[in-house]
Amino acid sequence: MDIKQLKFLIALDQTRHFGQAAALCHVTQPTLSMRLRNLEDELELTLVERGQRFEGFTEAGERILAWARTLMAAHDGLNAEAASCRGQVVGSLRLGTVPLASFNPMALLLPLRQSHPGLQFQLSSLSSEQIIDGLSRNQLDLGICYLDQVDTRYFEAIELGVTTMGLLHDTRHFPLNGPLHWEDLAGLPLGLPSKAMHYRQSLDLSLRSRGLEPRAVLESDSTFQLVQAVGCGLCCAVMPLDFGLQALGEHLQILPLEDASIRSQVGLLLRRSAPRSAIAEQCFAQAQKLFGA
């Protein structure tokens, strides 16, 4: 067994496709398939359900996959620790972030990159629950999520502020002036995040408390698709302020909504328990200097 076999297994889980997993690992598909069969022979287990294409992992495969992730995280952490001993911060920072909040993750990534040119980033858009789980399983190094669901016995946290809301619109299609009130949304076609998202639940609560029913013409769990819909004039969207959305188009404008915020703070999390990578600890320490009280 070697590290490359574990990388191949994890890549297959990420892509759910043999050819794409091989491309991700910069090998041919026959090479990837052969190395995975060698791993199965060594473990005396069938890990992958095979037909004409990838059909999933066996129960044993799912259990081995969890260990493979842990071993890869330890391998990456070892390399990062060695670099740290040499006075360097190199490698990949795995950061999970909620998709809608009044904190632009680029405000963290840009200064980190400027301080550490050898640093790379893996940025995942996840729910708060997924971020907490990913940190607990050592699948993420840091997470940006809502703090109302966080047990601070297990995580260090830096508060990044409360999420405030505004109405994103394209001035060519909806020439609006602000500031706006919730009641001003009643007659507008709206693009809304999916109902399972924390941000949408807070938004619905604000609307219902005022006896308002939104006129949703589009629901999506993709911020990009909501911005696309706004840009083409299909709708307006209630989005976080200070999220950098106006920079995505010259005609995009976001107007503040009176008394519109999510009560829960957004924060940056680092798990307290070992193993913690040197990259995670050093980036968290720099974030404390940037955003800590």
Side-chain angles (χ1 to χ4, degrees):
M1 185 188 307
D2 59 40
I3 287 295
K4 283 188 176 180
Q5 288 172 307
L6 302 183
K7 285 184 178 179
F8 295 163
L9 194 68
I10 293 169
L12 186 59
D13 178 50
Q14 291 172 334
T15 62
R16 319 298 286 185
H17 188 278
F18 285 105
Q20 292 175 15
L24 186 63
C25 296
H26 308 290
V27 297
T28 64
Q29 183 173 333
T31 296
L32 180 132
S33 296
M34 179 189 70
R35 296 301 304 278
L36 288 179
R37 286 193 183 277
N38 290 344
L39 178 62
E40 290 177 318
D41 292 342
E42 184 176 347
L43 296 175
E44 299 181 357
L45 292 169
T46 299
L47 305 179
V48 180
E49 300 281 6
R50 296 175 176 86
Q52 291 185 331
R53 58 181 62 86
F54 174 77
E55 295 182 355
F57 291 96
T58 64
E59 181 180 350
E62 292 287 356
R63 293 168 65 179
I64 297 301
L65 182 62
W67 277 103
R69 292 195 193 99
T70 299
L71 289 170
M72 281 306 305
H75 175 265
D76 293 343
L78 185 150
N79 286 329
E81 195 70 39
S84 178
C85 291
R86 298 192 301 268
Q88 302 170 322
V89 180
V90 298
S92 185
L93 177 73
R94 302 166 300 167
L95 175 66
T97 180
V98 288
L100 292 169
S102 283
F103 180 80
N104 186 343
M106 298 307 128
L108 173 63
L109 301 192
L110 182 59
L112 288 177
R113 176 70 176 175
Q114 290 171 338
S115 299
H116 311 294
L119 193 59
Q120 299 170 323
F121 306 102
Q122 296 178 29
L123 184 60
S124 302
S125 179
L126 303 167
S127 68
S128 292
E129 293 88 346
Q130 289 171 323
I131 290 169
I132 292 168
D133 183 64
L135 290 167
S136 299
R137 294 173 182 269
N138 202 21
Q139 296 171 2
L140 295 172
D141 296 308
L142 300 176
I144 298 171
C145 67
Y146 290 103
L147 297 180
D148 58 347
Q149 302 176 38
V150 174
D151 188 336
T152 53
R153 292 177 299 174
Y154 304 110
F155 299 98
E156 295 183 48
I158 302 169
E159 292 186 356
L160 300 175
V162 171
T163 294
T164 52
M165 304 179 193
L167 186 72
L168 183 71
H169 64 285
D170 189 301
T171 55
R172 295 169 298 181
H173 306 291
F174 296 93
L176 303 172
N177 294 307
L180 299 173
H181 302 273
W182 286 103
E183 290 72 20
D184 297 324
L185 307 185
L188 293 173
L190 295 177
L192 299 175
S194 299
K195 289 184 173 66
M197 297 173 72
H198 187 288
Y199 183 90
R200 171 64 186 275
Q201 293 164 8
S202 295
L203 177 58
D204 284 346
L205 181 62
S206 295
L207 288 164
R208 284 197 303 269
S209 68
R210 294 166 174 82
L212 300 173
E213 188 67 32
R215 192 173 132 218
V217 299
L218 172 69
E219 294 186 1
S220 176
D221 60 1
S222 167
T223 305
F224 175 71
Q225 289 176 344
L226 290 172
V227 173
Q228 275 187 313
V230 171
C232 76
L234 178 65
C235 59
C236 304
V238 179
M239 289 287 193
L241 298 175
D242 305 317
F243 192 54
L245 294 172
Q246 287 176 274
L248 299 179
E250 62 175 314
H251 299 290
L252 292 179
Q253 183 181 42
I254 188 164
L255 297 174
L257 275 167
E258 294 282 350
D259 193 28
S261 64
I262 296 177
R263 294 181 184 277
S264 175
Q265 287 263 351
V266 173
L268 180 69
L269 298 186
L270 170 70
R271 78 176 194 170
R272 293 186 183 276
S273 61
R276 302 195 311 190
S277 73
I279 289 177
E281 291 179 344
Q282 289 169 334
C283 290
F284 190 80
Q286 186 165 343
Q288 283 180 313
K289 295 177 182 176
L290 288 168
F291 309 111

